[in-house]
Amino acid sequence: MFEHMRKLREERGLSEKQVADYLQVSETAYSDYEQGKRRIPLQALARLAYFFGTSIDYLVGITDEIKPHPRKKCE
């Protein structure tokens, strides 16, 4: 279900444990996220999108465009 998440992780040579540690979740929880066995909290999706430099839409498979939309400038 979340092939893009796995693809980005593997392209960067990261283990599930390394990404799980970044998200501060267990390795099992992260593995379940990638496999679609567990719902990913929105905050975790946002952190992953920032971490991988992409969009939530790409992570969840809504788009195949890896490049995210331009971010808003903070005021």
Side-chain angles (χ1 to χ4, degrees):
M1 179 173 189
F2 295 99
E3 303 88 27
H4 291 157
M5 284 174 49
R6 181 178 305 118
K7 179 182 173 187
L8 289 170
R9 178 181 57 76
E10 290 175 348
E11 284 176 350
R12 286 159 176 77
L14 298 169
S15 68
E16 288 182 349
K17 175 151 180 37
Q18 289 172 305
V19 179
D21 288 347
Y22 172 76
L23 293 176
Q24 299 178 333
V25 298
S26 71
E27 184 177 351
T28 301
Y30 180 76
S31 179
D32 287 350
Y33 295 161
E34 272 194 8
Q35 295 175 40
K37 293 180 180 178
R38 185 184 293 197
R39 288 187 180 185
I40 306 171
L42 182 57
Q43 283 183 314
L45 274 173
R47 289 192 76 202
L48 282 174
Y50 181 79
F51 181 72
F52 288 125
T54 191
S55 67
I56 291 173
D57 287 352
Y58 179 76
L59 291 176
V60 300
I62 292 173
T63 182
D64 288 328
E65 181 63 42
I66 195 167
K67 185 176 179 184
H69 295 290
R71 287 182 165 70
K72 287 184 177 181
K73 293 183 180 180
C74 295
E75 294 181 28

